[in-house]
Amino acid sequence: MPYEFGAVILLAAVAVIATAAMLELQASATAYIVGEGHWSKAQQDAARNLQRYASSGDASLLERARADLAVPLGDRAARLALERDPPDTDIARAGFLQGRNAPADVDRLIRMYRFLHGAPYFRESVAQWREGDKGILELERLASEMESAYAEGVKADAQVDMFQRRIEAINTRLRPIETAFSQSLVQGTRMLRTLLIITSVVMFAIIAWIVIVVLRSTLMRIRESEGMFRAAFHQAAVGMLRMKLDGRILEVNETICRILGRPAQDLCLLNLADIVHADDLAAMKSADGEGIDWSRRMRPSEHRFLAEDGSTRWLRWTVSMVDGDVDGKERVFGVAEDVSEARRLSDEMIHQASHDALTGLINRREIEARLQRAIQSAGAIGEPHAFLFLDLDQFKLVNDTCGHLAGDQLLRQIAGVLQMHMRGNDWMGRLGGDEFALLLERTGIDEAIRIGQRLRRALAGSTFSWEGSAFNVTCSVGIVELQGADEDVGHVLRAADRACYQAKEDGRNCIRVYHESDLAMARRREEMAWVGDIRQAIADGRILLYAQRIEALDGDGQLNYEVLVRLRDQKGRLFSPDAFLPAAERYGQAMAIDRLVMSMALRALEDHPDHLSSLNRCHLNISAQSIANPEFRKHVADLLDSSAVPARKLCFELTETAAIANLAHAHEFIEDMHSRGCQIALDDFGSGLSSFAYLKNLPVDILKIDGMFIRDLANNEVDPVLVRSMCNMARSLGKVTVAEWVEDRNMLALLRKLGVDQAQGHGIHEPCTLGDLVCERIGGEAVQR
């Protein structure tokens, strides 16, 4: 079929080109006929003025005659210029314009003479043209002869009569030549018109025949495809449904009937809403709650469907819109795969990943995640939580005397005892070995100590029996109060562990509360001082934007750079982000800095349109605090909507640790920015333990390889292997790689060899103010630094 369509297109193109060419030839022939009219009129006017000059001797009449003769002489000059080898089109153009031809027709006149002067009909016209030029030249010579005679004072009646007879003879000889020139062109035009009609009819007949053949072939293929579709529909291993836009089911295959345990005739009496779980149906609804938003269902998604016995089945399904086969209205075609077993296994694996197999309590990974949320919650609600680190005393004695099976059984028993004495809104997990973690929500230190004492006494009062032996188990407890403002998970775990260790040092079976050291308090005071400085710097306009270029290793020359932030204190000293950003992130000022940097960068780009036009990509850093805040996403969206800076020129950098710590929020931020055309870079890639694994959940565009892999690249054997694997993985996923901390341009050759796409560092470009970089690019190409 593609060949037939190609033939139709080719014939249509040929027909169009032929028609256009013939129309152009007609226009050119018409231009020559019009030009002949100017030629004839000028010749006759020249003859008439020469007749009057012969009888009167008025010099003005001679000038008029020569002006008239200039018209056919101009045409003659154009023809002679075109007959040269090579043709002189400039002289020809000037000659045709002198011959009073329309400027719009001059190029047609030149093309037709150059390429068709030997063609039938036009060849005869050219011959008549040459013959006519002889008469024009005779009139020109006669004018000169008459002028000489009058200059000598001779004016005999016989001589005047002789001049007039010669003029009349030339005029009489030229009239049939002029008529023959026009008739030849008219005949050629008629021939072209006839040829055009015949060609059009033939082309139309051929195209119509091909179209008929194509239509018949298409109908046969449609019938064949429909038969194959019907067979595939009913025999497919996945469920299939055909529905109306309102969800009414029109047709189903045997597989979906088997999955849902419903006969086909029953399903075809139902609406999609009748077989989808109520909670999942709500997620499918459109924003106005009327009907299903089919456009969102075109991407694969998993939902619960109701079987006839009331049980639920998880189906992974997607839909597509197709034209209706009856009334022309669109239909919905759904494909569903039963993933209930895979879902069950996935839930089981998720549970196993977050729970301890021995005790059924949450494991260390889940403890750290929940502890992070508790820290954030304490800061948000303004009430403290308490974290308890519980370590069994003399647990090794049970293992050594009774074996590990007894130890495992003891741990399960202890977990049960502790859970019986906990409050309903608290949680407990096993950190590992004989260590347990407990979080007491909205609980101060005094209450935490009372609860800890209750748990300690409950364990001390329980007895563990194994094969005739009885053991009483005690525990040591460390307590840390969570305030939320200046804490992180690592700090809390270390602090609780130290407090628990102190309890063991104090004789075991007791509780100790962690108190910060003077050094930690000094660090907190320093960070708090930075918070005030940051706020004042924002108010005083002492937050400055710097920039560092990112160089493509393939030498494409495109302008890319990362915007960096600096703080100038009231004494004029300049501080890098390492000095003040940790305090800003710890005490909630990072989002204010992100907002300010975003606004300043966009304003700088808007104020310099020449720089903006040469810019390929501007990188802007986003903190973990901002990623997790929906209000920040809305703020960025509003800025992009109101800014003249194209979103495609912006790239937001998220640090790997921040993105992983806020995975769900990071995914939402990335999707929102992608929908607007922005790019996303994952900064410090490789610094996390699960960098590669998280990529499948973070659809970023650029990977910035952490400098720890780059700085010693040439001095060890491990880093090149790791960098190459990152580049290979990035290329397979369609992502760009950027090497950070490139301090020496001599390293670029090695980076290219390893597959790195771009490089950034002091060896590429020393950071400068954004204003200097903007002016540098406006003034010309960037200077290599």
Side-chain angles (χ1 to χ4, degrees), residues 593-663:
I593 294 176
D594 289 345
R595 287 190 174 206
L596 179 62
V597 169
M598 182 84 176
S599 299
M600 291 172 65
L602 289 179
R603 187 161 56 249
L605 295 177
E606 290 172 342
D607 291 344
H608 297 89
D610 291 340
H611 172 78
L612 180 60
S613 65
S614 66
L615 173 65
N616 179 55
R617 189 173 62 248
C618 172
H619 290 236
L620 297 169
N621 289 282
I622 305 298
S623 67
Q625 186 183 117
S626 299
I627 293 173
N629 194 311
E631 292 184 4
F632 179 78
R633 292 202 301 275
K634 184 179 185 303
H635 174 75
V636 173
D638 292 341
L639 280 179
L640 293 176
D641 290 341
S642 61
S643 174
V645 178
R648 59 183 170 78
K649 290 182 179 282
L650 300 179
C651 176
F652 294 104
E653 290 195 13
L654 317 179
T655 63
E656 180 182 343
T657 52
I660 292 173
N662 302 276
L663 193 58

Side-chain angles (χ1 to χ4, degrees), residues 268-283:
C268 291
L269 297 176
L270 300 176
N271 190 288
L272 183 65
D274 300 325
I275 60 173
V276 176
H277 192 281
D279 294 341
D280 294 76
L281 183 63

Side-chain angles (χ1 to χ4, degrees), residues 303-545:
H303 296 285
R304 287 168 292 178
F305 282 69
L306 302 175
E308 189 172 29
D309 59 5
S311 63
T312 59
R313 304 293 296 177
W314 278 98
L315 300 186
R316 179 178 177 84
W317 79 313
T318 184
V319 301
S320 57
M321 312 298 289
V322 296
D323 292 336
D325 54 0
V326 178
D327 52 10
K329 295 182 180 179
E330 283 190 311
R331 295 284 186 261
V332 182
F333 187 81
V335 177
E337 180 184 2
D338 188 359
V339 293
S340 301
E341 183 63 18
R343 188 85 180 201
R344 186 190 64 79
L345 292 174
S346 175
D347 291 342
E348 185 176 325
M349 290 176 64
I350 292 172
H351 182 272
Q352 291 175 354
S354 60
H355 286 72
D356 175 48
L358 179 63
T359 63
L361 301 175
I362 60 174
N363 59 18
R364 187 183 189 94
R365 177 181 175 184
E366 183 66 14
I367 290 171
E368 292 180 355
R370 293 193 185 187
L371 183 55
Q372 178 63 46
R373 292 196 292 270
I375 292 171
Q376 295 170 349
S377 168
I381 65 177
E383 291 187 45
H385 304 311
F387 181 74
L388 279 63
F389 188 103
L390 187 151
D391 191 352
L392 301 182
D393 300 326
Q394 302 296 344
F395 176 73
K396 188 173 183 295
L397 178 62
V398 177
N399 268 340
D400 291 344
T401 58
C402 300
H404 289 286
L405 288 178
D408 292 345
Q409 181 60 32
L410 173 60
L411 291 174
R412 282 192 286 267
Q413 178 177 319
I414 289 172
V417 171
L418 292 175
Q419 285 179 308
M420 285 191 298
H421 291 82
M422 289 181 62
R423 301 178 306 184
N425 58 338
D426 300 332
W427 55 259
M428 179 177 69
R430 183 188 176 202
L431 285 165
D434 58 347
E435 298 172 344
F436 296 85
L438 299 89
L439 184 88
L440 310 178
E441 292 191 358
R442 299 175 182 264
T443 304
I445 287 295
D446 293 340
E447 179 66 15
I449 292 174
R450 285 194 292 272
I451 295 174
Q453 293 287 14
R454 186 174 73 216
L455 294 172
R456 183 188 62 79
R457 287 192 296 268
L459 277 185
S462 63
T463 301
F464 173 68
S465 299
W466 182 264
E467 296 181 351
S469 299
F471 299 89
N472 289 99
V473 181
T474 61
C475 66
S476 300
V477 181
I479 300 179
V480 177
E481 186 177 50
L482 307 184
Q483 298 289 348
D486 55 355
E487 295 153 337
D488 57 55
V489 171
H491 166 73
V492 171
L493 288 173
R494 287 191 299 272
D497 183 49
R498 290 189 193 118
C500 183
Y501 180 80
Q502 187 62 51
K504 285 186 176 294
E505 289 287 306
D506 292 344
R508 298 187 177 88
N509 194 25
C510 61
I511 295 174
R512 292 294 178 263
V513 178
Y514 174 79
H515 298 285
E516 286 191 304
S517 65
D518 292 339
L519 180 62
M521 289 299 294
R523 182 172 62 85
R524 299 279 189 266
R525 284 194 294 271
E526 181 182 354
E527 289 181 342
M528 289 299 295
W530 265 120
V531 172
D533 291 343
I534 291 169
R535 289 173 179 164
Q536 193 60 45
I538 292 175
D540 296 344
R542 288 186 282 106
I543 298 295
L544 310 177
L545 298 189

Side-chain angles (χ1 to χ4, degrees), residues 61 88 111 146 238 375 463 511 568 629 691 748-749 784:
L61 294 172
D88 192 330
R111 282 196 300 270
M146 293 168 62
V238 295
I375 292 171
T463 301
I511 295 174
R568 190 183 301 280
N629 194 311
S691 301
L748 297 185
Q784 190 74 14

Side-chain angles (χ1 to χ4, degrees), residues 733-769:
L733 296 177
K735 304 180 190 303
V736 175
T737 51
V738 179
E740 298 184 294
W741 296 8
V742 178
E743 304 300 320
D744 187 351
R745 295 191 67 85
N746 294 329
M747 190 185 293
L748 297 185
L750 177 57
L751 292 173
R752 288 192 194 95
K753 183 178 178 181
L754 295 176
V756 177
D757 299 311
Q758 299 177 1
Q760 178 183 1
H762 290 271
I764 303 297
H765 177 224
E766 288 288 341
C768 63
T769 67

Side-chain angles (χ1 to χ4, degrees), residues 39 43 69 130-141 170-171 173-174 177:
W39 192 97
Q43 178 267 319
L69 287 173
R130 290 196 181 97
E131 192 65 28
D133 283 347
K134 294 178 183 178
I136 297 299
L137 293 174
E138 287 185 37
L139 286 176
E140 186 182 33
R141 288 194 297 271
I170 294 171
N171 201 27
R173 191 170 69 251
L174 286 177
I177 294 174

